[in-house]
Amino acid sequence: MEALSLNDTIVHRIKPLQQLVVTLVFILTIISFDKYSVSQLLPLFLYPAVIIVLGEIPLRFILKIILPVMPLILLLGAANPFFDTADRLLLPGITLNAGWISALALLLRGLLTLTVTLIFMATTGMQGMIAALEKLKVPDFFITLLAFTFRYFHVLQEEAGCIIRAYRLRAPGQK
């Protein structure tokens, strides 16, 4: 993700504070919709699509991170059809169980929220994110916690890579 933040596109040149504010406003907009608002959420996919294209962010990168999280969101929405059994109008002429509509809206909200968050992180980088949070007067404790978590995640990732490499060298071809 840090490598993506080093690109030089029109999106990457936007100041981190402005990116953070736009991302937060977009997320607040997403969560402000009614729980049955599927058709109202669909046009909001235009913003991440445009930013992905302008920022030259590989779609594969975003999908690689989002797809493992989507089953959790689906699991959260799986009970909706059982508890919300009223019929609602999805589109003109199409009536559906309200639980299915709210589950679909939850899935769309999760997808939009995760996508814009990843876009923000991929275009800003950790240093830009920390600078934006400092300008918003976020308490130092949270900023330090974020920085340490980010730093030591990479340390753990490198150590895991060393362990895997050592195992493959000691036991070639074994699972």
Side-chain angles (χ1 to χ4, degrees):
M1 193 154 328
E2 282 297 304
L4 283 175
S5 71
L6 300 175
N7 289 351
D8 186 28
T9 66
I10 191 167
V11 177
H12 288 81
R13 288 185 220 121
I14 299 171
K15 293 182 180 177
L17 180 60
Q18 294 168 340
Q19 287 186 9
L20 178 62
V21 169
V22 168
T23 302
L24 291 175
V25 167
F26 189 79
I27 290 172
L28 288 173
T29 302
I30 292 168
I31 62 174
S32 70
F33 281 101
D34 176 272
K35 71 177 185 176
Y36 302 114
S37 57
V38 171
S39 58
Q40 292 90 346
L41 287 170
L42 292 177
L44 295 178
F45 279 95
L46 186 62
Y47 169 70
V50 168
I51 298 299
I52 287 171
V53 170
L54 291 177
E56 298 174 5
I57 302 167
L59 190 57
R60 174 177 270 167
F61 163 76
I62 292 175
L63 291 176
K64 189 172 101 175
I65 295 174
I66 289 178
L67 287 179
V69 179
M70 292 316 288
L72 176 65
I73 296 172
L74 287 171
L75 188 63
L76 289 172
N80 289 6
F82 300 110
F83 293 112
D84 197 356
T85 58
D87 287 338
R88 287 202 49 110
L89 186 67
L90 178 62
L91 293 171
I94 300 175
T95 305
L96 196 61
N97 178 311
W100 288 110
I101 295 172
S102 64
L104 181 59
L106 181 67
L107 180 70
L108 293 175
R109 276 192 188 93
L111 189 60
L112 280 166
T113 305
L114 286 170
T115 303
V116 296
T117 304
L118 286 173
I119 290 170
F120 169 68
M121 293 169 62
T123 57
T124 306
M126 184 52 72
Q127 294 304 319
M129 203 179 320
I130 288 172
L133 292 172
E134 286 173 343
K135 288 181 182 176
L136 283 179
K137 305 292 185 203
V138 171
D140 288 338
F141 171 77
F142 293 114
I143 295 173
T144 304
L145 184 66
L146 177 68
F148 276 132
T149 302
F150 179 76
R151 178 171 182 219
Y152 286 107
F153 176 76
H154 289 294
V155 171
L156 288 173
Q157 189 177 17
E158 287 176 17
E159 287 300 316
C162 289
I163 291 170
I164 291 169
R165 190 176 324 110
Y167 179 78
R168 286 182 181 156
L169 289 173
R170 291 186 181 116
Q174 295 182 7
K175 291 186 178 180

